[in-house]
Amino acid sequence: MSIFLSYKRENQDAVERIVRGLRGAGLAVWWDQDIAPDAPWEQTIEGELTKAKVVIVAWSQAAVGSENVKAEARRARNQGKLIQVYVEPCEPPLFFGERQGVDLSTWSGNPGDNRFQAILTAVQAIFASKRPPEGVGYRSAKRTPWGVLTALFVAVSAALGFVSNLGGARNAVCAIAAINETCVQYGLIAPMVDPAVARAEARERLMQRLTGTWGRMDRDCADSVVFAVTLGEDEVYRVRRTAPGLDSIEQVSTIDTDNDVVTARETLPGEDGRREQWEYRPNGAVLALRDAAGTETTLARCE
């Protein structure tokens, strides 16, 4: 059983203290610093988040503004495995503040501190399928009374025309915040997607399609280049290309998710003083590259 740490890069030092403390207590902890350079970033995070028994979300001003952190927190809350901590004073996002959390904004890393011990107690309780103490941001994943009512709606709705949304009845009922999640659970409506979250996820998917090892199609990967994608603290993606005699870091300037095109420019100038610009179009097992002069090269994904 493992613990997943959700946080914003600006708070890496504070979160690292939490990781050290939890690992020092003999607990398995995963955070994004454990991602291998050549691993698919989005898929790795998705897999670890799904596997985790406990998700600790470290709130801060930056984390509150991060759609990725909020999405991870929502999933953990809905699955009954969320613990909230505050690594700096801030107002939590809507629907999270009422469940409180442990204030670690002044915690120095002492594992004997009562605040850290409260987190350990909560983690161990969730691992044992028990309810942790109050005040750590936990909410049971058990069905609410509204969920029971919605299940009853499902059972009789065919006869009443509810499932077919007769007169818009289904949409009207499922728009009620208290039962919206349950309607989604039973397939009565599609989940509501925040446009900002959808855009961020589409950008991530496209960038991760660029990640990996690519080689010339006519050389059977004899000469290959490794592409590694990272997201900096400034929320800007960077692409690192490495190969024998090549180590180039490029800053992504545009991500066109409609046409699957990524444009990036080298961060350091070459010997001629110029910073090369590249256009990448990943399409499954094929990657098309185009330089500033318009010369195009096609690469194939190497196993």
Side-chain angles (χ1 to χ4, degrees):
M1 290 183 289
S2 64
I3 303 167
F4 180 101
L5 259 296
S6 176
Y7 72 105
K8 200 69 174 61
R9 287 292 178 89
E10 288 86 336
N11 309 114
Q12 182 172 326
D13 290 344
V15 173
E16 187 173 5
R17 288 194 290 270
I18 300 173
V19 172
R20 286 200 303 265
L22 293 170
R23 287 176 174 170
L27 298 171
V29 181
W30 188 92
W31 63 328
D32 62 4
Q33 297 302 301
D34 296 324
I35 301 178
D38 58 346
W41 181 54
E42 181 185 2
Q43 294 93 321
T44 301
I45 291 178
E46 176 81 14
E48 295 296 335
L49 181 61
T50 300
K51 290 189 299 184
K53 181 73 173 180
V54 172
V55 175
I56 297 178
V57 175
W59 291 122
S60 66
Q61 295 287 354
V64 168
S66 169
E67 295 299 336
N68 289 338
V69 174
K70 287 190 286 189
E72 291 166 357
R74 280 193 294 269
R75 178 186 294 190
R77 180 190 62 190
N78 293 342
Q79 294 176 346
K81 57 184 183 182
L82 172 68
I83 292 177
Q84 299 184 108
V85 303
Y86 294 85
V87 293
E88 70 179 28
C90 65
E91 285 294 324
L94 189 64
F95 305 128
F96 287 95
E98 74 278 11
R99 294 183 180 88
Q100 303 177 339
V102 181
D103 183 2
L104 296 181
S105 59
T106 60
W107 182 57
S108 63
N110 175 17
D113 188 291
N114 289 337
R115 294 167 294 180
F116 184 72
Q117 287 298 312
I119 296 172
L120 284 181
T121 300
V123 168
Q124 290 162 352
I126 297 175
F127 278 178
S129 299
K130 298 179 181 178
R131 186 177 184 87
E134 296 292 333
V136 295
Y138 175 82
R139 184 184 75 170
S140 173
K142 293 180 180 179
R143 188 182 299 174
T144 63
W146 276 107
V148 175
L149 179 58
T150 304
L152 180 60
F153 275 147
V154 173
V156 301
S157 58
L160 299 178
F162 185 70
V163 168
S164 61
N165 201 28
L166 187 62
R170 181 186 64 204
N171 289 349
V173 172
C174 289
I176 300 173
I179 65 172
N180 178 263
E181 288 184 5
T182 311
C183 283
V184 172
Q185 177 185 349
Y186 284 96
L188 293 177
I189 60 171
M192 298 175 62
V193 179
D194 186 325
V197 174
R199 285 194 298 271
E201 291 178 347
R203 288 161 59 90
E204 287 179 19
R205 285 193 295 270
L206 178 57
M207 294 307 301
Q208 287 314 304
R209 283 160 52 188
L210 180 59
T211 301
T213 303
W214 302 87
R216 290 284 295 269
M217 298 184 72
D218 57 346
R219 298 181 185 175
D220 196 25
C221 289
D223 299 318
S224 59
V225 181
V226 177
F227 284 73
V229 174
T230 57
L231 181 63
E233 296 180 358
D234 53 2
E235 295 292 328
V236 174
Y237 284 99
R238 287 171 177 79
V239 178
R240 183 172 187 174
R241 292 186 296 151
T242 55
L246 171 67
D247 191 353
S248 171
I249 298 178
E250 301 155 7
Q251 180 169 303
V252 174
S253 54
T254 60
I255 303 176
D256 182 354
T257 56
D258 292 331
N259 298 297
D260 293 339
V261 177
V262 175
T263 304
R265 188 179 180 88
E266 287 183 322
T267 57
L268 296 176
E271 294 180 357
D272 57 3
R274 294 186 302 174
R275 293 187 297 144
E276 292 288 342
Q277 180 169 299
W278 295 86
E279 180 182 284
Y280 301 114
R281 286 180 282 121
N283 182 14
V286 176
L287 172 63
L289 295 77
R290 179 179 294 171
D291 62 19
T295 303
E296 187 165 304
T297 304
T298 301
L299 303 180
R301 186 178 292 278
C302 302
E303 296 295 336

